[in-house]
Amino acid sequence: MSDEISGRTAVITGASSGIGEATARTLAAAGARVALLARREDRIAALATELTTGGASVVAITADVTDRASMQAAAGRVQDELGGADVLVNNAGQMLLAPFSADHAEETRRMVEINLLGAMTTTEVFLDQLRDGGGDIVNISSVAGRIARKGSSVYNATKWGLNGWAEALRQELLPGVRVIVVEPGAVATELADHITHPESQENARASYEEVEALEAQDIADVIAFAVGRPRRVAINEVLIRPAEQPL
Ligand code: NDP
């Protein structure tokens, strides 16, 4: 158990599955109080029950990162019920891959709203809590924030944008708040299941099967390591791929 995690309050968006769920389990096991945010109420409620039974302090908050009012309400509950956020993990995201010319305008806007503006809105509403005593903001970007590929243009743009915003924010908020970017390659989660463009869905599945994908726990371990460092240490950026993934 890291003393830098124990007793702190971690807010995790997209805690209902995949990387967010694994991160919630890992930080709770390390002694953090945890706020689980997502839209699927049944999933976060079940996870909260499991973690609470294990001895953790947990609240499940149904919230949508594209709905500012729901995020403000979430910030109010975290302040009232857990004493305010010390760690924010901006993890909620969608990867709705499709060629830009494939007429997916709604999905284009949805990805920008969730992956980029959602992280900004969440950070805005929790910023005062995070600045009160030294906080950490962990942004889950992607290898897609560093390498552009055809068929991934909008997802690339959201993660590229997240990286640029996070680096400027890091400079603005130091020395009190540490801003961390984690850029995973292929991780075995439900992320690709939501792709609606058939050929892109097939390509994504094939690329996940070409390599032994990372597990969500591998990313959770990186997040816990980064936020568990002594306050003099800032791990700013971590690129983590399956060992066999070429790009
Ligand atoms: P999942 O699909 O398992 O998780 C995505 C999470 O985001 C879900 O918990 C979902 O919860 C939440 N979410 C989606 N839309 C919203 C919204 N509007 N408001 C609140 N929460 C929302 O996939 P991963 O765990 O893989 O993805 C987590 C992050 O990791 C994403 O940002 C993704 O881009 C990134 N990533 C993933 C990689 C991979 O290969 N899996 C690689 C690189 C980065 P709910 O639907 O209940 O709201």
Side-chain angles (χ1 to χ4, degrees), residues 186-201:
V187 186
T189 67
E190 64 178 65
L191 190 73
D193 298 347
H194 301 287
I195 299 171
T196 62
H197 184 263
E199 200 185 322
S200 301
Q201 161 86 259

Side-chain angles (χ1 to χ4, degrees), residues 25-246:
R25 287 183 202 283
T26 303
L27 296 181
R33 293 185 290 269
V34 178
L36 310 171
L37 274 59
R39 296 167 305 170
R40 286 173 293 181
E41 193 169 2
D42 53 338
R43 294 237 200 162
I44 51 174
L47 181 59
T49 302
E50 178 199 316
L51 297 179
T52 304
T53 305
S57 295
V58 183
V59 291
I61 305 174
T62 310
D64 183 332
V65 297
T66 70
D67 175 354
R68 190 182 182 80
S70 86
M71 297 311 293
Q72 281 173 320
R77 280 193 60 189
V78 170
Q79 182 68 60
D80 294 345
E81 297 176 37
L82 297 177
D86 303 298
V87 176
L88 169 63
V89 184
N90 281 318
N91 167 73
Q94 290 198 344
M95 182 182 73
L96 305 169
L97 302 182
F100 187 72
S101 49
D103 194 16
H104 279 238
E106 190 278 325
E107 291 190 347
T108 290
R109 274 144 192 84
R110 187 157 21 119
M111 269 194 291
V112 174
E113 288 280 351
I114 297 170
N115 300 2
L116 186 54
L117 289 172
M120 292 179 184
T121 300
T122 309
T123 303
E124 282 164 8
V125 303
F126 282 103
L127 194 54
D128 285 347
Q129 296 177 23
L130 292 161
R131 291 181 106 158
D132 184 15
D136 291 319
I137 301 171
V138 183
N139 297 294
I140 308 303
S141 178
S142 171
V143 69
R146 296 169 59 121
I147 297 174
R149 304 182 78 166
K150 80 174 178 180
S152 177
S153 58
V154 179
Y155 188 65
N156 283 136
T158 64
K159 296 301 189 179
W160 226 283
L162 191 67
N163 286 5
W165 167 73
E167 170 56 18
L169 188 69
R170 182 188 72 77
Q171 295 172 28
E172 182 178 329
L173 297 183
L174 57 78
V177 175
R178 301 184 297 194
V179 178
I180 299 157
V181 172
V182 180
E183 300 160 324
V187 186
T189 67
E190 64 178 65
L191 190 73
D193 298 347
H194 301 287
I195 299 171
T196 62
H197 184 263
E199 200 185 322
S200 301
Q201 161 86 259
E202 210 173 291
N203 291 342
R205 282 191 194 286
S207 71
Y208 277 77
E209 281 161 15
E210 267 166 23
V211 298
E212 182 183 351
L214 299 172
E215 296 173 10
Q217 186 62 48
D218 296 323
I219 310 305
D221 289 342
V222 165
I223 295 167
F225 181 79
V227 301
R229 292 311 87 211
R231 295 303 299 178
R232 69 177 182 279
V233 181
I235 296 181
N236 300 136
E237 189 176 11
V238 179
L239 174 62
I240 169 174
R241 293 184 177 97
E244 298 170 346
Q245 183 175 328

